[in-house]
Each structure stands twice: as structure tokens, then as C-alpha cells.
Amino acid sequence: MGLIDIELFTTLDLVGQAPGGPDEDPEGFPFGGWQAPLLDEVTGAQIGAAYEGTDALLLGRRTYDIFAAYWPHQDSGEDHEIATLFNRVPKYVASRGRPDLSWAGSTQLGPDLAAAVREIRDRHEHVKVVGSLDLVQTLLREKLFDRLDLWVHPIVLGVGKKVFEAGAVPTNLTLLAPPVAGPTGTVYLRYALAEGIPGTGDMSAPDRGVGRDG
């Protein structure tokens, strides 16, 4: 069984909407492209390394349309390595509509998304989910992921679609590596899905040394 690996760019208040540009997801959102002023070489290298070993992409409809309009035309230039990868691997699209699947290697998933994702995970070794916040909500809610990579940027927007929206379920995660900060203050966090759900405790209990006299 392979890995489902979610890649997300987020703000400190966990807004993940339209980091790449103003036309990415403009509905009622005034901050499209908020990531651009914060990009640095460290983050760029982290993103490139995160795609190593990817053998399939799992995308929502909006992200797929953006990618399909861009990556097939980037075989030369600074983005050519990622373009070559994206153009080569299979692309699986979660959509209830009728997307234009003219990008080579693209397949629309059936109505039973959970079953389709499980089948993809059985078929591939390393499936990458990029952006696609609506799809990500489903994967998080169903715990249909193995890793969650977050690039947390040092800004607060106060509006926009968040990584964890209403309906998120209690979930334990394990930090796979120490956080790494780039020169602009963006912090890279890599988590793995862990078993169980969050526990509770009492911080005033005597063994915590809190709430005692003297």
C-alpha cells in the first residue's frame, strides 16, 4: 500500500486559499497570491524535495484546471523538472462535474471518492495531493492520508478557506522531522497520521506541579 501525501501552503491562521495568484480562487477572497512575497530559496528547495518519488497526483477540479493550463507548457525554464514530473505521472481528478481531461494521463474519479482514493493508494507508491482544499477536507475527515506537509507562512489574513474547516474530526499526528524555518519566516512541518484520537488530562493534577500552594 502506498502513501497519500497532502502538500499545503498556509498562513498562521491556517488559511490555505489561493496562495498562488489572484485568479486561483477569487470568490470573496481579496488576498489571492499571498504566498508570492514570502517565497525564498529554502522553501523552494523544500518543495522540490517533497516531490521526489511522486508517481501520481490527486487533485480537486479547480487545482487540476489551473495545473492543466500551466504545466504542459513548462518543459523548459526554471520549473522544467517539476513540469516533467507532473506531465509524466497519472493525474486523478475529484469532480462531480465534467472536467476537460485533455492533460495527458488524466482520469476522473467515480462518485465514491473514498473507495477511489483507497484504490489509488493500492496502485501507487507515493500519491501527492497539492492544494485542492475541498478535496483535502474530505481526505482529512475520512483520515484518507498518510502524511501532511504544511508550509506555515508568517502572516494572518483573517478571511479565507482554512485547512481545517467545520467538520474536521479529532486526529492524532506525529511530527516526522524537526521544523525548518526559511529566511522569510516560513516554517516547514511534516506530519504523519497517527493512531487513535486526542486524549485529555488535567493540568492542575499534583504530578504536573500546577495549582499547588508553596
Side-chain angles (χ1 to χ4, degrees), residues 128-142:
K128 191 73 69 174
V129 183
V130 188
S132 309
L133 273 182
D134 292 339
L135 169 61
V136 165
Q137 298 301 316
T138 300
L139 299 179
L140 294 175
R141 187 167 53 249
E142 299 291 335

Side-chain angles (χ1 to χ4, degrees), residues 201-212:
D202 184 357
M203 291 299 293
S204 66
D207 62 339
R208 296 298 180 94
V210 177
R212 292 183 293 173

Side-chain angles (χ1 to χ4, degrees), residues 85-119:
L85 171 66
F86 283 5
N87 291 327
R88 173 175 52 82
V89 302
K91 277 75 68 174
Y92 298 98
V93 187
S95 174
R96 296 185 181 92
R98 293 180 142 184
D100 176 6
L101 300 180
S102 56
W103 192 9
S106 300
T107 303
Q108 183 174 356
L109 300 181
D112 189 341
L113 180 61
V117 171
R118 292 188 180 96
E119 182 180 348

Side-chain angles (χ1 to χ4, degrees), residues 25-82:
D25 188 2
E27 298 175 8
F29 185 63
F31 294 109
W34 54 262
Q35 184 191 26
L38 298 168
L39 283 175
D40 56 59
E41 291 184 359
V42 172
T43 300
Q46 291 167 346
I47 295 170
Y51 286 114
E52 292 179 3
T54 298
D55 63 352
L57 294 177
L58 174 58
L59 306 170
R61 167 71 178 271
R62 190 189 301 271
T63 300
Y64 174 82
D65 287 344
I66 294 170
F67 279 20
Y70 180 78
W71 289 112
H73 312 291
Q74 304 302 316
D75 285 335
S76 61
E78 60 181 352
D79 291 332
H80 75 278
E81 290 186 5
I82 291 182

